[in-house]
Every structure is written in C-alpha cells, then in structure tokens.
Amino acid sequence: MKPNQQSKLLFAVDGRSKINSPLPKGYFGNGIVLTCCICNASELIEKPLSFAAEHVQNAIKMVTEGFIRSVIDYFEVTRARPSLTATLLVTSWTRLDFDTTDFGWGEAVQSGCVNLPEKEVALLLCNGRDRKITTLLLGLPITAMKTFQEFMQV
C-alpha cells in the first residue's frame, strides 16, 4: 500500500443495545451495523497504535439509533453493498455459541464458516467449550500473505 493511499477498516458493531425498541428475546439473526475508519497508510505507520485505536473507538461511538436507522433506510433504497476497495474487513464470531448448540447428533467438535474469508477479511472464531482458543482466519491477496508470513516468520 502506498503511504498516501487511503485505507479503510470496515467492521461490525452490535446494534442490539443501541436501539430503543430492542430485538425480541431469543431473536436469532444479525443485529449489526457496519461502520468504518479511514486514514492514510502513512498515518498508521508513523503514529502510535493508540491513533488507530482512537479511530476505532470514535467509529463505534458514531453508531447510535439514528445512525442505524439511516443505514437501514440507505440499504432499503439503494440495495448497495459497501465498497471493499482498499479495505480490511474485520469481524468477530467469538460471542456466537455455535459450539454449544445441539443439532441432534452430539456435541460440536469444531465450528466456523464453510469457506475461507474473501480477500482482505479477518475473521475471529472461538474453539472449544472453554472458549480459551481463538482462531484467526485471514483472506489476504497473495502479495500481502507473503509479507504476513515474513512478519510472522512462518
């Protein structure tokens, strides 16, 4: 990524507690809204990690009931998906109880998604009943994966 190129971090925020008319108890579906942070790559490189953390915190604070209703209205009108150009999408499934759900054939051994994430997606999953193990699935372009392997010394 070029230093002056803008990059975007896209992530989901749980909207269930942010709306006045909460979802019904036992609702089994998404209650999330996407929000994002945008800055130049050079800012991420040159500034401390706290700079990025503050951007994330501010993006989460933007998610209010008005924001959520505006997003719903926008998608109902346009049916547009967010652009993933120069974007990293981070999502966490660590609070989902896939491994504790009994579908009738015994205790789950493994849970997660069927496919690997698309490129430029990071997905966090918990494994096991004790939830002490977290797996990170990455979908990166080949050039980024080579750099990642070098950093991780794999």
Side-chain angles (χ1 to χ4, degrees):
M1 178 171 279
K2 298 175 182 144
N4 291 328
Q5 182 178 353
Q6 281 201 329
S7 57
K8 178 171 56 174
L9 172 64
L10 183 66
F11 56 98
V13 174
D14 185 354
R16 294 167 193 255
S17 65
K18 300 186 183 279
I19 54 176
N20 285 329
S21 51
L23 297 170
K25 186 175 176 131
Y27 173 78
F28 192 75
N30 285 331
I32 57 137
V33 64
L34 295 176
T35 189
C36 71
C37 306
I38 300 173
C39 68
N40 288 335
S42 60
E43 291 178 291
L44 291 174
I45 294 167
E46 295 167 2
K47 295 187 178 185
L49 182 59
S50 60
F51 169 80
E54 186 176 338
H55 267 58
V56 169
Q57 290 171 341
N58 289 337
I60 293 170
K61 288 177 188 171
M62 283 181 13
V63 179
T64 62
E65 182 168 3
F67 180 92
I68 292 169
R69 294 194 185 284
S70 176
V71 168
I72 291 168
D73 291 344
Y74 175 79
F75 284 115
E76 282 182 350
V77 171
T78 66
R79 301 287 180 197
R81 295 183 65 179
S83 170
L84 296 181
T85 303
T87 301
L88 172 63
L89 172 60
V90 177
T91 188
S92 174
W93 291 5
T94 57
R95 292 181 12 193
L96 300 177
D97 291 330
F98 293 130
D99 57 334
T100 60
T101 304
D102 185 353
F103 293 102
W105 52 78
E107 188 175 312
V109 176
Q110 176 73 30
S111 63
C113 56
V114 175
N115 302 16
L116 290 175
E118 307 255 340
K119 68 177 187 163
E120 298 163 348
V121 171
L123 173 60
L124 296 160
L125 299 163
C126 272
N127 289 332
R129 286 198 177 274
D130 59 6
R131 301 177 110 17
K132 292 181 181 176
I133 301 169
T134 301
T135 301
L136 173 63
L137 296 177
L138 290 173
L140 298 174
I142 292 172
T143 54
M145 186 53 81
K146 289 178 184 175
T147 303
F148 179 77
Q149 287 174 331
E150 290 172 11
F151 281 131
M152 299 306 292
Q153 300 175 354
V154 175

